[in-house]
Structure formats: C-alpha cells, structure tokens
Amino acid sequence: MWKHLQPGSSPVDWCEGNYLISPLIAEFVNTFSNVLFFLLPPVLIHLFREYGRFVNPAIHVIWILLMVVGMSSAYFHATLSLIGQLLDELAILWVFMAAFSMFFPRRFFPYCFQNDRKLFSMAAVVLAVLATGLAVLHPAANAFALMTLGLPAFFLLIHELRRCRCSRVYRLGIRCAAIWLLAVTCWINDRLFCDAWSAINFPYLHAFWHVFIFIASYTACVLFAYFSVKDEQPHQTPVLKYWPRDNFELGIPYVTLRCYYKSDSNQI
C-alpha cells in the first residue's frame, strides 16, 4: 500500500520535465496551473446562493467537487504518485456523476426511472461506485476513459443550445464548446505528441488543459443550471448574468431568478 504513495509510482507521466524547477515538486507548471480550481468556486458559491436557496442546493456540491479536483490534480502533479493519480481521476468521475444527476433532462430519462430524478440519481451513484472500483483496478486506462465522458456532455450541450432562444445563453454555449475543444486539443497533444512539443521547448500543454477545462467545465455547469430551470421550473424565469459587470460577457457567468419559489422535493 505504501508504495502507491511514493513519488513516481503512477504509470502516468505528462510531458513537462520532472523536478526541473523545484526539487520538491515533480511537475511545477502542471501543479500550479490548477489555481483556478481554488479561486473561482468560492465566488460561484456566492453568486449561486439564490439558485441554491430557491432551485437546488445541490448546485454547491458541484463547486465544492471542482475544488476537490483542483486539490487532487495539484497533489498528483506535485508527486506523480499512484494515489495522487487516482484521487485526481476519481474526483473528476464524481463531478461528472453529480452534474449528470442534477442536470440531465428528464425528457431523456429511460422509462424505468418514471421521471423520478432521485431514482435516476441513485442509479448514477451506483454506476459511479462501480466505475470507481474499475478505476482502481485499471489506473492506466482511466485518463482515456474519462475523456470519453466529455463526449455525451458536449453533444447534450449542443442539443440544448439548438433549443435555446436566448442569444446571450447561446453565445456563452458556443464559447464553452470552443474552449472545451481547445482543452481537448491541448490534452491530446501533450499526451501523444510530447516529443514534438519538447523539441520546441514547450512541454506545457497539459497546464493549458487545466486552465481551459476548468473554464469549460464551470461554464457548462452554469449553462445546464439555466437549462434545468428553464425546463423544469420555467415559472422561476432564469436569467444569465455576469460578474462583476453584467454588460461584460467575458466575466464570470451565473444564473439568477426573476421569480422566487421553493423548489419541489424531487431534486438532487
């Protein structure tokens, strides 16, 4: 067991050279590029306090889990330990589970769930537990398996944008999809074409992946939070806003409400 805590025990090693900047941190740039995972979630918790009170308090679980992802990723890249790798990947897995449980449209629920989100969420938790066990058994395949989870989320986002009639939401959705594609491009290049990027002394694409995937992930959660209210509680009248200035669409997006009603009990 203890050997899995040892630095370098992970079978995964990214393109950035190890211990080049600090003798204590294996991948220095990859470690500190997780800073957004620490800085923005507390802001989002504050901005979504209205949403959490009147729609679904579980929205804050998403922001907390993103912080866990950042901490786990920083630990993994600092040590390259197998435990760090598993913590990083499992945190991402549970973010997906929480987001799908909360935001997956009811109109796409299989009939066996009888339109019950709590039942659907319980099934998602069971699948996540099974996937956690498989991740521990086959850690070398985890990164590629997790990447495939982004595909249904991406296509679901595109589908929801096609139904959207709000130009502000649509523009944010297009930016989110573009940033996700840019993040995936960085991840693939760092993983598969490391020699080419190292030859030009730029082995830092995985650090850009951290930045871009965080922006894409939290933006997607904001969008799906909007779609969820629009579909299931339209009387709340969701509104997409930006902080610190609402007329600056490159700020931090969040969802607020024009009408306030307590959500029903069938929420996760």
Side-chain angles (χ1 to χ4, degrees), residues 122-184:
M122 290 174 60
V125 169
V126 171
L127 286 175
V129 170
L130 293 174
T132 297
L134 291 174
V136 173
L137 292 175
H138 302 285
N142 291 347
F144 291 96
L146 286 172
M147 287 298 293
T148 62
L149 291 178
L151 292 176
F154 178 82
F155 288 115
L156 181 59
L157 173 62
I158 298 302
H159 180 273
E160 294 298 300
L161 287 176
R162 289 177 175 174
R163 302 176 68 244
C164 182
R165 296 296 176 265
C166 176
S167 59
R168 170 175 269 207
V169 174
Y170 185 84
R171 289 193 299 271
L172 180 62
I174 295 300
R175 290 197 297 271
C176 176
I179 293 171
W180 184 82
L181 290 172
L182 184 59
V184 172

Side-chain angles (χ1 to χ4, degrees), residues 12 14 40 47 67 75 89-90 101 127 134 137-140 158 162 177 185 189 191 197 201 222 227 232 242 266-267:
V12 178
W14 297 94
L40 261 66
L47 294 175
M67 294 181 71
Y75 174 67
E89 293 164 346
L90 293 178
S101 298
L127 286 175
L134 291 174
L137 292 175
H138 302 285
I158 298 302
R162 289 177 175 174
T185 300
N189 273 271
R191 190 65 183 260
W197 289 99
N201 295 317
V222 170
F227 297 143
E232 300 187 13
Y242 290 88
N266 191 21
Q267 294 284 344

Side-chain angles (χ1 to χ4, degrees), residues 12-64:
V12 178
D13 190 359
W14 297 94
C15 194
E16 182 185 357
N18 299 337
Y19 301 104
L20 296 181
I21 298 177
S22 169
L24 301 177
I25 300 174
E27 296 176 348
F28 190 89
V29 177
N30 284 348
T31 298
F32 285 94
S33 60
N34 288 287
V35 64
L36 289 179
F37 286 89
F38 298 92
L39 296 180
L40 261 66
V43 177
L44 292 165
I45 290 173
H46 174 72
L47 294 175
F48 273 81
R49 63 193 186 280
E50 191 177 89
Y51 189 101
R53 179 181 178 186
F54 293 102
V55 179
N56 194 343
I59 186 69
H60 299 308
V61 173
I62 298 290
W63 313 134
I64 293 171

Side-chain angles (χ1 to χ4, degrees), residues 25 78 120 133 237:
I25 300 174
F120 177 81
T237 316

Side-chain angles (χ1 to χ4, degrees), residues 104-121 231-232 264-267:
F104 193 73
R106 289 178 190 264
R107 62 183 180 276
F108 295 140
F109 280 12
Y111 179 76
C112 60
F113 295 114
Q114 300 179 350
N115 212 34
D116 188 323
R117 186 169 296 279
K118 286 187 177 180
L119 187 61
F120 177 81
S121 299
D231 281 350
E232 300 187 13
D264 60 46
S265 60
N266 191 21
Q267 294 284 344

